Amino acid sequence: ENEPEVECLVNPASRDLFTREVKGLAGAIRSSGGQALLDECASLLQKSPTGRLEFGEVVSSGAHELQQKNFGCILHAGIRRQQPDSDDNDKPFMKSLVMSILKTADEK
């Protein structure tokens, strides 16, 4: 049975992408993507004026070793970690982030 091809995988990224150990989905992407993915992410950060992925920013990288799983690219979306006891309303931020993800995916 053929697996469906997925054009883009969305990585809920920390601001430093994969320059440190991460857990969850980002950790699984980091460990499966191979050294070429880590190198490309380091290069993306070097191109940034701040050297980090900004909150709400979306950047694209190749899928590298994940191409074997039929992923075409990875969209790294800079998310904020909300504290569990926070009353902060992140709906406008998340809406803007989702729109940025869709726009970046459409450009692929």
Side-chain angles (χ1 to χ4, degrees):
E1 181 176 314
N2 291 339
E3 292 183 42
E5 183 174 322
V6 178
E7 292 182 27
C8 299
L9 174 65
V10 177
N11 171 31
S14 63
R15 295 185 69 199
D16 57 5
L17 286 177
F18 296 123
T19 57
R20 64 179 176 82
E21 286 292 323
V22 291
K23 297 179 181 181
L25 178 59
I29 294 169
R30 182 186 196 274
S31 65
S32 300
Q35 187 61 46
L37 173 61
L38 300 180
D39 293 344
E40 184 176 0
C41 287
S43 176
L44 288 170
L45 290 180
Q46 287 176 350
K47 294 175 186 175
S48 169
T50 62
R52 302 181 86 176
L53 182 65
E54 297 301 316
F55 294 127
E57 182 180 9
V58 179
V59 296
S60 175
S61 74
H64 301 282
E65 296 296 322
L66 288 167
Q67 285 179 335
Q68 298 170 11
K69 302 286 186 191
N70 295 325
F71 293 112
C73 71
I74 302 173
L75 301 180
H76 306 275
I79 63 168
R80 295 188 292 212
R81 305 276 190 253
Q82 186 172 354
Q83 298 300 321
D85 58 349
S86 172
D87 289 333
D88 186 26
N89 184 344
D90 262 0
K91 285 182 184 178
F93 170 78
M94 291 304 294
K95 180 178 179 181
S96 174
L97 182 60
V98 168
M99 295 307 294
S100 293
I101 291 167
L102 294 172
K103 180 178 183 239
T104 305
D106 193 44
E107 293 169 356
K108 289 284 143 200

